[in-house]
Amino acid sequence: MDTLTHDRAASRIRTGLLFALASATSFGMSGPLARGLMDAGWSAAAVVAARVLLAGVVLLPLAIHQLKGNWPLVRANARLIAVYGLIAVAGTQLAYFNAVARMEVGTALLIEFAAPIAIVGWLWARHRQRPGAATIAGAALGITGLILVLDVLSGVSLDPIGIVWALGSMVGAATYFLLSAEGGELPGTVLAAGGLLIGGATLLLAGALGIVPLHATTNPAVFADFTTPWWIPILLIGIVTAAIAYVTGIAATRHLGSRLASFVALTEVLAALIFAWLLLGEAPRPIQLLGGALILIGVITVRLGEPTPPVPLGNPETPADTIDEPVSQ
């Protein structure tokens, strides 16, 4: 019986890692695709608003089907869905846009991708889940790898307002992982669809109020070796880098727990590096490859230090975070 339980737990970890890598790869494609659209005249906020709204619309029929008419479940989780959309989706993007308006992109990304450190601190302070030596070592390796990949040392902005905005994007990213672990019986597609639609509507409102620039064009998008109509990257950025990315990200967090899932998500930077090479012709430098290797080693180190979550025999599909990483809203 113990062997069966261990096998189920190990299977959950393997499945969760596959979901996490799929999510990170999908998210990593968004930057290079967005670059093509922005070079064609789109504002960053317009790209993100179109991305999340399209994803929400694509996921909505599937979410309704999976609900099977259980609308009380949505009402019971209305606060979770709203906070997910406002903070994890819209808040993160708005904070990041305002950060990069005042500081280098690499510095802003480094602060945002420090979200796993914030999650470790939250779980330690709120749930007494003290990080082990492997988690601390893996975090150090991962952050060092990020510094090398993003080439932050080539130019650092210390604009205090920009730093505050970047810290806000980090909080939003951490919130994404913490809230993705919640919901109980709420299907991940419902959480993703509701959150994306709320987040997209919030971004449109922010654009209408002049908080972020919001403009788009129908000019073709130009990439390294080809030119394509604008609507093709929009479809990819909405369906692949948002709909698939958010659903698999939620599934990964419910299998792995918010802490481990957030560290695996650091591989998004590696995916972005590869897609920038393929789509934009931006070949990675040796120091970036070294940084990528450190990120992978850091993620593996954190995984080796994570305890295998128990799986109840009566319900092997119980999310990992509801067992050993409870998170309060």
Side-chain angles (χ1 to χ4, degrees):
M1 189 66 70
D2 289 341
T3 300
L4 178 60
T5 302
H6 176 77
D7 289 345
R8 286 175 172 174
S11 177
R12 285 188 63 81
I13 291 292
R14 288 192 297 270
T15 302
L17 289 173
L18 289 175
F19 278 133
L21 291 173
S23 179
T25 302
S26 301
F27 274 127
M29 190 188 298
S30 63
L33 288 174
R35 172 71 69 81
L37 289 167
M38 288 187 287
D39 288 346
W42 288 63
S43 67
V47 173
V48 176
R51 173 191 176 209
V52 297
L53 284 172
L54 175 59
V57 170
V58 168
L59 289 176
L60 189 59
L62 179 59
I64 293 175
H65 173 73
Q66 290 191 336
L67 271 176
K68 302 183 186 304
N70 189 7
W71 295 105
L73 182 61
V74 176
R75 289 193 292 271
N77 289 277
R79 180 169 175 264
L80 169 63
I81 296 172
V83 173
Y84 186 89
L86 292 173
I87 298 180
V89 178
T92 305
Q93 301 295 335
L94 288 173
Y96 176 72
F97 293 151
N98 283 283
V100 297
R102 295 176 174 271
M103 62 198 306
E104 287 81 5
V105 172
T107 307
L109 278 174
L110 177 64
I111 295 175
E112 179 181 350
F113 275 91
I117 307 300
I119 291 173
V120 169
W122 168 260
L123 294 175
W124 189 358
R126 180 69 177 81
H127 302 292
R128 301 293 185 267
Q129 295 182 18
R130 183 175 182 176
T135 298
I136 295 174
L141 288 169
I143 294 301
T144 301
L146 278 174
I147 292 174
L148 297 180
V149 170
L150 298 173
D151 199 17
V152 174
L153 298 180
S154 65
V156 178
S157 170
L158 297 178
D159 182 274
I161 298 178
I163 291 175
V164 170
W165 279 116
L167 288 172
S169 69
M170 180 192 70
V171 171
T175 301
Y176 159 75
F177 289 104
L178 292 171
L179 294 184
S180 293
E182 297 192 26
E185 297 179 358
L186 184 72
T189 51
V190 178
L191 176 58
L196 287 167
L197 290 174
I198 291 173
T202 302
L203 288 171
L204 289 181
L205 179 61
L209 295 175
I211 298 175
V212 291
L214 201 65
H215 52 82
T217 72
T218 57
N219 298 330
V222 179
F223 295 95
D225 299 317
F226 62 93
T227 299
T228 182
W230 64 272
W231 54 268
I232 293 180
I234 280 292
L235 286 179
L236 290 174
I237 211 168
I239 297 173
V240 177
T241 79
I244 293 176
Y246 275 96
V247 169
T248 53
I250 291 171
T253 306
R254 291 182 174 183
H255 278 74
L256 300 176
S258 53
R259 181 167 55 202
L260 179 55
S262 67
F263 277 100
V264 179
L266 293 178
T267 56
E268 176 186 335
V269 180
L270 305 183
L273 206 65
I274 294 172
F275 283 119
W277 187 6
L278 296 176
L279 296 177
L280 305 176
E282 298 178 356
R285 298 183 299 279
I287 193 171
Q288 291 179 302
L289 296 176
L290 173 61
L294 289 178
I295 290 174
L296 290 176
I297 294 172
V299 170
I300 293 171
T301 302
V302 171
R303 168 65 192 100
L304 294 176
E306 287 287 293
T308 301
V311 179
L313 292 178
N315 185 10
E317 298 303 319
T318 301
D321 274 49
T322 63
I323 301 170
D324 64 347
E325 287 190 13
V327 180
S328 300
Q329 291 189 39

